[in-house]
Amino acid sequence: MIKSRLCDLVGIKYPIIQAGMGPFSNNNLCVATANAGVLGLLSMSGLCGREIQPYVYNAWVKTADGSPDDDMATAVEKVLLRTYNKTKDKGGVFGINVMVSAEMKKEADIIINKAIEVREKHPEMKKNFKVIFTSAGDPVGWHDKIKGAGFIWMHVVPSVKGALRCKKAGVDVIVASGHEGGFHTSWEPVHSMILLPAVVEAVSDEKTLVCGAGGYCDGKTLAAALVLGGDGAQMGTRFIATQESDFNQLWKDSIVAAGDRGTLVARGFVGPARWLKNPVSEEHARNTLKKSPGVYLGEPDDMSTIDFSLIQYELDALEATFNSNKDKALMAGGEAAQRINDIPTVNDLVQEIAKETEDILKGVQKKFLA
Ligand SMILES: Cc1cc2nc3c(=O)[nH]c(=O)nc-3n(C[C@H](O)[C@H](O)[C@H](O)COP(=O)(O)O)c2cc1C
């Protein structure tokens, strides 16, 4: 049986985090992953763009047993109660992924305050709803609220500098996200092979755990994360292509279809992003080179300076994805797509990953030590 400090801290069977993947709904995926023995994360960012992406909001609330009329706080309460009701019998453990960047601060406050309130109102949830995972912003300033309410706090970073900031903030589990990963990536990215051991060396200690993200999708890569000093791995792209995931069939099939060199980086809503390669993303990359070259030069731009037609292109193409319009669809995905060839149930997938990891780790001594 594999084990790690992440399993002990969170009370999960396998050292795997199912990534929050907003703004899309992960509401059904989270139930399935939690019940399969990994940490399931509900992504909350789909609740933050109701005006610009109403189709995302509507799909999100539908998978929360809510209605398009629900406001953000009501939707948060509904999804938490729904997830609890669907995980409590199997002891599934789940959390929420909340973007805390400066421009999302107001929404992040509403979501986190509501989550704390719901758990206080229903203390029986504490056995299952254990984690607040913050992303896309500065962790400093969130400690008292999140830790004060008794949650395990995780935060994702793309650099050692970010990890040191997490350490200062008092984060429990730092997730080091490499450039292989799907969707948003950083302006000056580093790949997992370098980033994970560097972050482990910089911040891991008896109080601070480190997990990898970006490129992890099977037993080989999970074993690698553990051998590189990590306490586990977060997987996003791998979980999109599962039976229970909320992503549509076009997206799942496109991950399976992606082959060698199957992704590219182009502008995303909040910075550089990794997309599955297709004619739409290739055009987006050509436009990015012209209109947002900083994506390739490591020089950030933002909404105040960028040519908005680039963002509009992304919004239109994401809507096409939602409408399963294959010719116009733009789909985020990580390099791991190249290694994903099936759409299993979550439980079968997790069992397979766990077995492969165990076999590899058992075999290491026999194979490589005299
Ligand atoms: C479609 C998609 C949406 C994502 N949205 C978010 C998000 O809203 N917040 C976040 O912290 N990470 C987000 N991520 C990144 C994942 O949380 C995770 O770190 C990443 O997928 C790991 O790399 P992998 O795709 O190689 O597994 C997203 C990834 C994907 C593929």
Side-chain angles (χ1 to χ4, degrees), residues 291-312:
K291 298 177 183 176
S292 180
V295 163
Y296 303 114
L297 297 170
E299 293 169 2
D301 53 27
D302 62 27
M303 289 299 161
S304 63
T305 53
I306 196 172
D307 178 342
F308 198 76
S309 65
L310 201 54
I311 304 298
Q312 194 58 52

Side-chain angles (χ1 to χ4, degrees), residues 191-255:
H191 287 81
S192 291
M193 180 64 85
I194 302 302
L195 186 67
L196 178 57
V199 170
V200 167
E201 283 158 16
V203 297
S204 178
D205 61 20
E206 65 287 347
K207 267 178 43 202
T208 311
L209 277 57
V210 175
C211 292
Y216 302 96
C217 60
D218 60 0
K220 293 181 186 70
T221 45
L222 177 57
L226 300 174
V227 170
L228 288 171
D231 297 293
Q234 167 163 278
M235 300 183 189
T237 303
R238 176 58 271 191
F239 281 116
I240 294 179
T242 55
Q243 294 291 326
E244 295 93 331
S245 104
D246 308 77
F247 291 77
N248 67 12
Q249 199 59 38
L250 169 63
W251 206 319
K252 297 180 190 185
D253 291 343
S254 302
I255 286 175

Side-chain angles (χ1 to χ4, degrees), residues 22-148:
F24 318 103
S25 166
N26 308 165
N27 297 343
N28 290 315
L29 176 60
C30 172
V31 169
T33 53
N35 285 338
V38 314
L39 172 63
L41 291 180
L42 299 162
S43 173
M44 293 288 149
S45 55
L47 294 176
C48 302
R50 193 177 190 171
E51 281 75 35
I52 44 170
Q53 288 178 302
Y55 55 92
V56 169
Y57 191 92
N58 294 345
W60 198 104
V61 289
K62 207 166 146 192
T63 55
D65 294 342
S67 109
D69 299 330
D70 290 337
D71 64 12
M72 188 187 287
T74 308
V76 170
E77 179 158 21
K78 284 188 177 171
V79 80
L80 290 174
L81 292 174
R82 174 187 193 264
T83 311
Y84 170 64
N85 282 325
K86 287 178 181 285
T87 54
K88 64 179 184 205
D89 292 343
K90 290 199 172 153
V93 181
F94 66 95
I96 55 173
N97 175 306
V98 188
M99 290 171 80
V100 295
S101 54
E103 63 278 13
M104 307 273 272
K105 168 89 175 63
K106 196 173 124 229
E107 289 83 356
D109 263 327
I110 295 173
I111 293 166
I112 292 177
N113 289 344
K114 191 69 190 181
I116 292 171
E117 184 195 311
V118 170
R119 206 174 77 141
E120 288 307 316
K121 212 160 96 189
H122 304 275
E124 65 280 10
M125 284 176 89
K126 289 183 182 174
K127 274 199 225 145
N128 304 79
F129 175 30
K130 293 189 186 175
V131 173
I132 293 185
F133 188 117
T134 49
S135 70
D138 188 357
V140 171
W142 289 96
H143 177 274
D144 291 357
K145 185 174 279 197
I146 295 172
K147 293 301 297 173

Side-chain angles (χ1 to χ4, degrees), residues 327-345:
D327 296 337
K328 298 198 169 157
L330 184 62
M331 290 158 283
E335 287 181 13
Q338 161 164 0
R339 303 196 52 240
I340 294 170
N341 302 309
D342 55 2
I343 307 178
T345 65

